[in-house]
Amino acid sequence: MGSSDLSGGGPLQVSSQRLSEGVYDRLVTDIRTGVLRPGDPLRDRDVAERLGVSRTPVREAIQRLERAGLLDVWPGRQTKVRELSDDDTTRLYEYFGELCAMHVRFGMGSGDDPNKDGEPVYEAARALAGADEETWAGSFVGFMEKVAAYEVSVRGRLLEDHLPLMSIVLRRPPEIAGDRLRLSADLNSAIERGDIDAATDAIRALFGLDG
């Protein structure tokens, strides 16, 4: 499937200052939903024509997608949606498990700001607890999206950039010793009672990491 099949149709309707962000968001959506699949080529000229923008914001978006681990780029040759080997996926499971646990600890653990509203995080945790095996991966990424938005810091922005790749990795959830749905319920319970240690332990267990 080529880049001419980008979803959404029609030119982007955004201000010039946000064109690169708009292209990035569109391409992330296409990669996350499978419109653009691993190994598919991504040509800046085709993307620019499809979205009705110049090639400059497309190139900027492609650079950001490469930094986020979603593309393999060979300058002057070709750009493709990244194909993950089994070894890549195994290493990324461990990385994302530690990353998500850290963000919950530092993000939700800084609840002394009275202007912060944690309800979106609690709602996402409840949704995760109610997920089934088919919807678990999307629900978990949705939960971490709320954690990233809650944690208004450099860490939060870095987590946000990692979420698209994590959503792809979790299409094949890691093998774990425990019950994924039970652990998700444990995570929700820990978040509700403010037990950050138990919440981070549950997240690490969800990724098959030791205690």
Side-chain angles (χ1 to χ4, degrees), residues 32 134-143 145 170:
R32 288 178 64 167
E134 184 176 349
T135 61
W136 180 84
S139 295
F140 185 82
V141 174
F143 167 70
E145 285 176 339
L170 290 183

Side-chain angles (χ1 to χ4, degrees), residues 19-20 23 43-49 52-63:
L19 278 176
S20 176
V23 174
R43 303 178 182 88
D44 57 4
R45 180 177 59 188
D46 293 343
V47 175
E49 290 177 356
V53 300
S54 71
R55 294 171 73 174
T56 297
V58 174
R59 287 169 178 162
E60 292 172 352
I62 285 175
Q63 290 174 354

